[in-house]
Amino acid sequence: MLISICMCTYKREHLRLTLQSIARLVIPQGVDVEVLVVDNDEQLSARATIDAFQGDFPHQLNYYSEPVKNISAARNKLLEKARGDWIASIDDDEVADELWLLRLKETADTYAADVVFGHVVPCYPDHTPAWIKEGNFFSRKTHETGTELSSGGSGCTLINRLFLEKNNMKFDVAYGTTGGEDAQLFFRMFCRGAKLVFCKDAIVYEGVESDRLNLSYLKKRALRVGQTYARYRLEQATVAQKLWFTVKNMLLLICISIVSLFSYPVNKQLFLKLYLKALDKYGKVACVFSGAKVELYK
């Protein structure tokens, strides 16, 4: 069996660390590995790093370019070039635990899953403000291994490539500058009958970029996540479903906003979390009424 470990990169200085962690992986028995890197920078900024690894890298290492500034286009290039039965997706700012791939594959086999989402652990630079660490604003929701989900992200994920091929599915370029292209694809897989599960023992460590350690970024992210969620969840929804979604999130927005105001004098960390949650709800409602999109990737 062949597993394709895939990543997109764009002017990432941590790509070297990601590749080093892949070189140290424990490979499941009976599995061969190929590694694919798609450079989404027309200046080919990752080529020198890839060339430096080619000599003694333990796996076949393939480098491709996708000059179109669209993360979906870059991910689709990976789908086009990957030969594996499975695709193990990792971000170029993540470092994989040595057992990462082994745990993903074990979970896929145990639960007969088509997609397995792993556990992403944030790593903060030394100068991170205390309020960000205390608020744990960059941690992602975790679940017990085997928990079934309806969507997720692609940064620490094992995907049944043959399921994608059979159903002629790829990433939607309409989400290529807003993000959410991965969540949208996985939700479409779920709607087609794919089984998506979580594995808490498949771990990668993700570096948090310095320019994200501020309230401005957190606000923009919360709004974007809400909008993107509404976009892909309501693509095939009926009028009644859209109406219920809108009313529910408007009521939640009002309730969360009121509670956040009362929490401000007592607990500013709680206020901030509620404030960001309210922005998420606002993003959902705004998307329904205006179709507004926040672009993160340009």
Side-chain angles (χ1 to χ4, degrees), residues 122-274:
C123 296
Y124 298 102
D126 293 339
H127 60 275
T128 302
W131 64 270
I132 285 188
K133 288 185 177 181
E134 293 167 2
N136 218 17
F137 291 106
F138 287 89
S139 291
R140 306 186 191 184
K141 189 174 182 180
T142 60
H143 311 270
E144 290 300 313
T145 295
T147 300
E148 294 191 28
L149 304 173
S150 60
S151 188
S154 63
C156 176
T157 307
L158 187 66
I159 309 161
N160 184 342
R161 189 187 65 82
L162 300 180
F163 183 97
L164 296 176
E165 186 178 88
K166 178 181 177 181
N167 291 277
N168 193 28
M169 302 179 77
K170 57 184 180 179
F171 295 94
D172 190 336
V173 294
Y175 289 76
T177 59
T178 63
E181 77 292 338
D182 46 2
Q184 193 253 13
L185 174 64
F186 294 133
F187 183 65
R188 285 192 286 127
M189 291 180 69
F190 172 77
C191 292
R192 288 281 186 94
K195 185 176 182 181
L196 287 58
V197 305
F198 189 81
C199 176
K200 67 177 181 180
D201 298 318
I203 299 171
V204 298
Y205 301 92
E206 181 180 67
V208 181
E209 297 179 49
S210 295
D211 61 0
R212 297 183 176 185
L213 301 173
N214 55 77
L215 182 57
S216 176
Y217 173 80
L218 292 175
K219 289 163 56 178
K220 188 174 183 179
R221 184 185 67 172
L223 187 61
R224 190 270 297 178
V225 168
Q227 291 174 342
T228 303
Y229 180 93
R231 282 178 69 196
Y232 79 79
R233 290 281 174 162
L234 297 179
E235 282 178 336
Q236 304 299 323
T238 64
V239 173
Q241 289 171 331
K242 290 181 180 179
L243 179 61
W244 167 241
F245 180 91
T246 305
V247 171
K248 178 181 70 173
N249 281 284
M250 287 182 69
L251 291 174
L252 287 170
L253 171 60
I254 294 170
C255 293
I256 293 171
S257 298
I258 293 173
V259 174
S260 69
L261 291 175
F262 282 103
S263 70
Y264 182 79
V266 180
N267 188 326
K268 290 185 173 55
Q269 283 285 353
L270 176 59
F271 164 77
L272 187 52
K273 288 186 175 182
L274 291 171

Side-chain angles (χ1 to χ4, degrees), residues 51-68:
D51 289 345
F53 274 83
Q54 287 286 7
D56 56 358
F57 198 69
H59 312 295
Q60 181 178 342
L61 179 57
N62 302 312
Y63 175 75
Y64 305 99
S65 170
E66 176 48 72
V68 176

